Amino acid sequence: MSTPVTVYVPRDSAARSVGADEVAAAVRSAADRPIRVVRNGSRGMLWLEPLVEVATGEGRIGYGPVRPEDVDGLLAAGMLDGGDHELRLGLVDELPWMRGQDRLTFARVGVTDPLSVDDYVAHGGLAGLRRALERTPAEVVEEVTASGLRGRGGAGFPAGIKWKTVLEAAGPLKFVCCNADEGDSGTFADRMLMEGDPFCLIEGMLIAAYAAGATEGYIYIRSEYPDAIDTMRAAIDIAHAQNWLGEGILGSATNFELFVRVGAGAYICGEETSMLESLEGKRGMVRAKPPIPALSGLFGKPTVVNNVLTLASVPMVMADGADAYQARGVERSRGTQVFQLAGNIARGGIVETAFGISLGELINEFGGGTGSGRPVRAVQVGGPLGAYIPASDLDLPMDYEAFAAAGAMVGHGGIVVFDDTVDMAKQARFAMEFCAEESCGKCTPCRVGSVRGVEVVDRIIAGEDRDTNLDLLEDLCELMTDGSLCAMGGLTPLPVRSAMRHFSEDFLARDAGDRTGTAGRPVPEDAASGPPAP
Amino acid sequence: MTVGHSLSIEDRVRAIVTAHDGERGRLLPILHGIQAEFGYVDEAVVPVLAQELNISRADVHGVITFYHDFRKAPAGRTEVRVCRGEACQAVGAENLMAHAQRRLGVSTGETTPGGDVTLEQVFCLGNCALGPSVQVNGRLYGRVGTERLDTLMAEADAR
Ligand SMILES: Cc1cc2nc3c(=O)[nH]c(=O)nc-3n(C[C@H](O)[C@H](O)[C@H](O)COP(=O)(O)O)c2cc1C
Ligand code: SF4
Ligand code: FES
């Protein structure tokens, strides 16, 4: 009897969205000798999904993108021995896309079986938690502060400083809440981490809980992520059985209970105070700060609120020490960021690398330019509230302060690429529409201003009193920036104004026959409006 | 409401509430439970929840209406959610949505007259490198062009 060959077919929902389940089934039924199919997370090379990997003596050989109908041919070509085929990519770890990265937070994603305890521990899992438990909470806070780790949810607040506030707050009951609402278009790293390495998030939350003195935690996952919800719930059950959760964790005196809560389709619930209201079972109305959640958070108790990636970076920081993390990056942006290449991009997916890489390197070298093959015209970084950056500014380094200085934001690291068929007046209109749709309604500039904003852009597009309406739009933006309680209303002007500033030609009156094209410029003859060919 | 249940709506709602006993801030999990059981959140549950949770009817109503997920009426047999997030827009999501509307003869948020299909918009499904993205009956699909969408809807209909 030969030992079964291990074949990896991702269970990540992006891979499933293009047929990974069907491919896994085809491999299982057509294999002519014993195989073991592991449903791993995705390596993040999403244009190659479904990416099938075969474990060989030399390492894991990849094939992709594989369609179910390719499976017979692949097996005939000797895929189970790493045989040659036009879909054969070679050793996955040696592919330029992988070699060019510095995977810390995503070290295990795509490599291991997400729900295998053995895999987790064999690949360095729990080392960070064990090292933390050997130290005092204050020492852990000190180490995380020294690493320079900043919040990955958008605002970039230093994680250690937040934890210190909670640690020093008095009270028998404190919480750790993980923000897994990931509402920004162009972002999917939280989802992939939860689906691909859920124990890592649990370990990060445990370390946060130990450091801050919290005994109860919640992961607030958006309802649009059913696979992530299922995987996290399954991981929590397994962690309980391992005594990684519950009482006396790993033989220490630490207790921690962890629960998954599911959002209900409200973008604003990603704002931390809105999320806390939602966790309390209320409407997701944004709270005025102060008090800050660190002092008065969930049910008024001291609460650590951190993004998935922030918390999932902590085990590595604790395992390898602050210095190793802090040694990466530039200026005040330390460590690595998990960038997400999205939209009209030839090679979309996850690029984890030190801060400081330029936007252009990410888009052109990793991403291979647009998926349509047309020139890049605009890039939106940081989600729906992020600025549109023109193709001429792609030398901008990915660094919180450099982006802020350029009137843009890194946010959650989502990079959405548009080709030259994009109509930037329409994108400005959408920013206002989105704000009108998703505003929590507490303040007038946001709630009413955004509705007015849509009307004004419509008039500009229709060519009515262009100059007056452009001034009006500018005034509305100012009102929203100055008069909004949170960044929803406060930052919606960022995409709108950046579109007006960098792409003013799109805001020129267009003639009646040209409603669908790009105003002021001829519509390219071959403008592709469908998706790029797979 | 589905036939074949001998329990009244009130009893079924109370059972869902009981299943979440001891959970902090349990209104959202309960509402998700109700939507899973009935397919939507009927107005009739408001007084029951208000009484069970000891909060005002206005509060319950306020929560239900705040969140896009909670439906006021049952969806069609097939629920199609087309992503309109920016990353999907960059690869033709607006065209895809327009196609779906034309094809089904409904606008966003509506159900076809026979109750076959409900068309919804959604802002990001976390599949932004493989857009346009669509969810059909809770299942995610990537790189969905107009033809693929027609096929997916036909397949869902045949089930
Ligand atoms: C409108 C709005 C939406 C937000 N959405 C998210 C989100 O989806 N996920 C997230 O982690 N943070 C989001 N944030 C940021 C949170 O308010 C908060 O800063 C973050 O969760 C803190 O965690 P961190 O310090 O680890 O980043 C959002 C903020 C605003 C204003
Ligand atoms: S800015 Fe908008 S989303 Fe934020 S609190 Fe005000 S109304 Fe709510
Ligand atoms: S924008 Fe459509 S899946 Fe993210």
Side-chain angles (χ1 to χ4, degrees), chain A residues 281-321:
Chain A
K282 301 177 190 155
R283 298 159 65 93
M285 299 293 273
V286 172
R287 298 177 186 167
K289 287 189 248 188
I292 54 170
L295 293 173
S296 177
L298 188 61
F299 299 103
K301 307 294 181 206
T303 304
V304 170
V305 179
N306 274 132
N307 172 254
V308 173
L309 297 181
T310 316
L311 291 161
S313 300
V314 168
M316 186 274 147
V317 168
M318 283 314 296
D320 295 356

Side-chain angles (χ1 to χ4, degrees), chain A residues 13-14 16-17 46 173 175 185-188 191 216 218 222-225 261-265 268-269 278-284 299 341-344 348 380 384 416-418 427 430 433-434 437-438 529-532 534, chain B residues 23-29 32 59 61-63 65-70 81 84-95 121-132 135 138-146 148:
Chain A
S13 52
R16 294 183 64 215
S17 85
L46 294 174
L173 182 60
F175 297 104
S185 163
T187 64
F188 42 83
R191 178 187 62 66
E216 199 172 309
Y218 292 88
R222 62 200 301 254
S223 62
E224 291 82 354
Y225 286 0
R261 283 295 171 84
V262 180
I268 195 58
C269 288
S278 187
L279 280 169
E280 291 181 11
K282 301 177 190 155
R283 298 159 65 93
F299 299 103
L341 294 178
N344 195 330
Q380 189 179 29
V416 177
V417 178
F418 293 82
Q427 298 310 122
F430 178 79
E433 180 194 349
F434 184 73
E437 188 78 28
E438 299 295 336
S529 47
Chain B
E23 292 176 16
R24 295 184 203 271
R26 57 200 167 132
L27 183 50
L28 251 69
H32 276 302
D59 281 345
H61 182 79
V63 172
T65 51
F66 184 86
Y67 296 97
H68 298 296
D69 277 5
F70 301 128
R81 306 214 290 169
R84 283 190 62 218
E86 289 91 333
C88 286
Q89 289 176 25
V91 287
E94 298 292 285
N95 265 345
Q121 66 178 357
V122 57
F123 296 111
C124 195
L125 293 164
N127 197 30
C128 325
L130 296 176
Q135 231 178 21
R139 168 96 208 245
L140 178 65
Y141 297 91
R143 290 205 160 131
V144 182
T146 50
R148 180 119 190 274

